[in-house]
Amino acid sequence: MRAVVRRRYGDPLEIRETPAPAAGPREVLVEVRAAGVDQGVWHLATGLPYAVRAAGFGLRRPRRPILGLDLAGVVAAVGPEVTGLRVGDEVFGTGDGTFAELAVSTERRLARKPERISFAQAATVAGSGVAALQGLRDAGRLRSGQRVLILGAGGGVGSFAVQIARILGAEVTGVCSAAKADLVRSLGAAHVVDYATGEPTGRWDLVLDTGGGRTLRALRHLLTPAGTLVIVGGERGGRWLQGSDRQLRAGLLNGFTRQHLTGLLSKATAPLLETLAAWMASGALTPVVDRTFPLAEAASALDYLRAGHPRGKVALTL
Ligand SMILES: NC(=O)c1ccc[n+]([C@@H]2O[C@H](COP(=O)([O-])OP(=O)(O)OC[C@H]3O[C@@H](n4cnc5c(N)ncnc54)[C@H](OP(=O)(O)O)[C@@H]3O)[C@@H](O)[C@H]2O)c1
């Protein structure tokens, strides 16, 4: 099968013929129709920040040469112990090495794709949609009627978060560049702040931080006295931690203030994917795909993500 590989961190991405994987007894083999491209893929391609390597992805070399985690596709084979999915089912979720024609996953990492949603859209959900859901509902304990501030509202996680916060009944303020203001409003934000011309002023029950790299102190100033801060991530900071020290410091400070300060480590599981699938099926949630690239242009897709300020998400299609 064709797959996008890199043998060492930072090597140019190549498309190569590689042996096709097979489904083990509890595994599902998916014929990949689309794969999500996000900042996490770039981190695993480059091995930066170095903290990523220490997190089990391979210290000196990538443990898995094939890139990609998010997918949408059609079940091609199931192991004998798989009971909930059959060959031919259309699914989305995560797999091992999804920038490839075939990828292995499990029932616990997949859900059925709603008909209303394209494969490209569905392929963007497991990373960004799940992070938005867990960040707002679980880590953020968002309740109906609360006011939420979403930093990076027009990006991958942010474009899901604005919609999910609305579904959960919150009043949303989105912070983004001027080019994305119309998108963020159309997704349901009541207020939009262009970060180039001014910082948000006010206090929010929940702040979800997905971009901009503001200091912990600046983020806390945006919270009500008992408000909640969820730091999802950001692309600023040094090569060792890339700003993840903010999450660590938030965790340390958390016990000493009335505010609730936390980082997020999201993980796509079938129940989370099914919640998102139900919202997508009803039309309440629609993944925003800015642009798709063919598998062979994975490197261009990553360049576009890093430099192009996409509106919402980027995906590879096969
Ligand atoms: N913790 C977890 O489990 C988890 C899960 C998923 C993602 N992440 C991390 O979360 C971060 C966001 O991911 P993503 O996929 O949403 O990235 P993304 O698509 O690049 O979105 C980030 C957004 O931040 C915006 N931004 C830049 N500067 C800003 C500022 N000063 N104020 C407000 N917004 C600003 C960007 O807008 P412009 O392009 O218009 O400048 C962009 O839309 C990444 O670092 C990713 O690795 C963490």
Side-chain angles (χ1 to χ4, degrees):
M1 67 168 186
R2 290 182 313 141
V4 175
V5 299
R6 71 336 177 191
R7 301 276 164 208
R8 288 176 308 187
Y9 291 120
D11 275 0
L13 302 188
E14 290 175 58
I15 183 139
R16 286 236 189 111
E17 279 297 327
T18 62
R26 291 184 190 171
E27 290 177 336
V28 178
L29 185 67
V30 181
E31 183 189 306
V32 180
R33 296 289 174 84
V37 178
D38 60 29
Q39 303 289 354
V41 171
W42 183 85
H43 295 304
L44 292 181
T46 57
L48 293 173
Y50 296 121
V52 163
R53 306 184 189 200
F57 293 101
L59 274 180
R60 297 186 53 204
R61 286 169 179 269
R63 235 172 12 102
R64 292 183 204 283
I66 304 177
L67 267 184
L69 185 67
D70 296 0
L71 62 71
V74 180
V75 174
V78 295
E81 291 173 35
V82 173
T83 53
L85 289 172
R86 280 200 237 142
V87 171
D89 285 347
E90 296 185 348
V91 292
F92 72 103
T94 59
D96 301 333
T98 61
F99 287 11
E101 287 170 326
L102 292 162
V104 164
S105 182
T106 63
E107 282 180 283
R108 296 162 70 165
R109 301 165 72 189
L110 295 170
R112 284 173 205 279
K113 179 184 85 63
E115 267 179 32
R116 201 186 139 254
I117 299 297
S118 69
F119 282 107
Q121 287 174 310
T124 69
V125 176
S128 301
V130 167
L133 175 59
Q134 287 190 305
L136 292 168
R137 188 193 65 182
D138 304 337
R141 306 170 192 169
L142 184 63
R143 292 188 307 278
S144 183
Q146 287 191 319
R147 298 176 71 236
V148 55
L149 178 72
I150 297 172
L151 301 166
V157 178
S159 60
F160 280 100
V162 173
Q163 297 181 73
I164 292 171
R166 288 288 301 124
I167 292 169
L168 297 175
E171 183 195 291
V172 180
T173 302
V175 180
C176 59
S177 57
K180 297 179 187 172
D182 56 342
L183 169 71
V184 170
R185 239 178 244 114
S186 74
L187 296 176
H191 317 280
V192 176
V193 178
D194 168 11
Y195 65 75
T197 56
E199 279 298 295
T201 49
R203 305 267 175 176
W204 283 267
D205 301 304
L206 172 62
V207 173
L208 189 81
D209 179 24
T210 78
R214 288 166 183 80
T215 62
L216 191 53
R217 190 189 172 92
L219 292 168
R220 289 188 63 201
H221 272 296
L222 299 168
L223 290 178
T224 56
T228 298
L229 168 67
V230 178
I231 303 178
V232 179
E235 294 301 311
R236 299 201 187 159
R239 292 168 72 86
W240 285 94
L241 292 172
Q242 192 158 29
S244 53
D245 51 305
R246 294 183 311 151
Q247 278 99 313
L248 298 175
R249 281 186 289 113
L252 290 175
L253 197 62
N254 187 42
F256 301 95
T257 160
R258 277 181 67 208
Q259 294 173 332
H260 179 55
L261 313 172
T262 181
L264 181 75
L265 206 54
S266 68
K267 187 172 178 204
T269 59
L272 292 162
L273 295 169
E274 280 157 12
T275 296
L276 295 166
W279 286 335
M280 290 190 285
S282 74
L285 177 67
T286 302
V288 180
V289 177
D290 174 296
R291 204 173 147 186
T292 63
F293 291 80
L295 182 68
E297 292 176 23
S300 305
L302 275 182
D303 289 346
Y304 182 72
L305 176 75
R306 297 292 293 179
H309 303 285
R311 292 158 62 91
K313 294 288 304 180
V314 175
L316 300 181
T317 49
L318 283 86

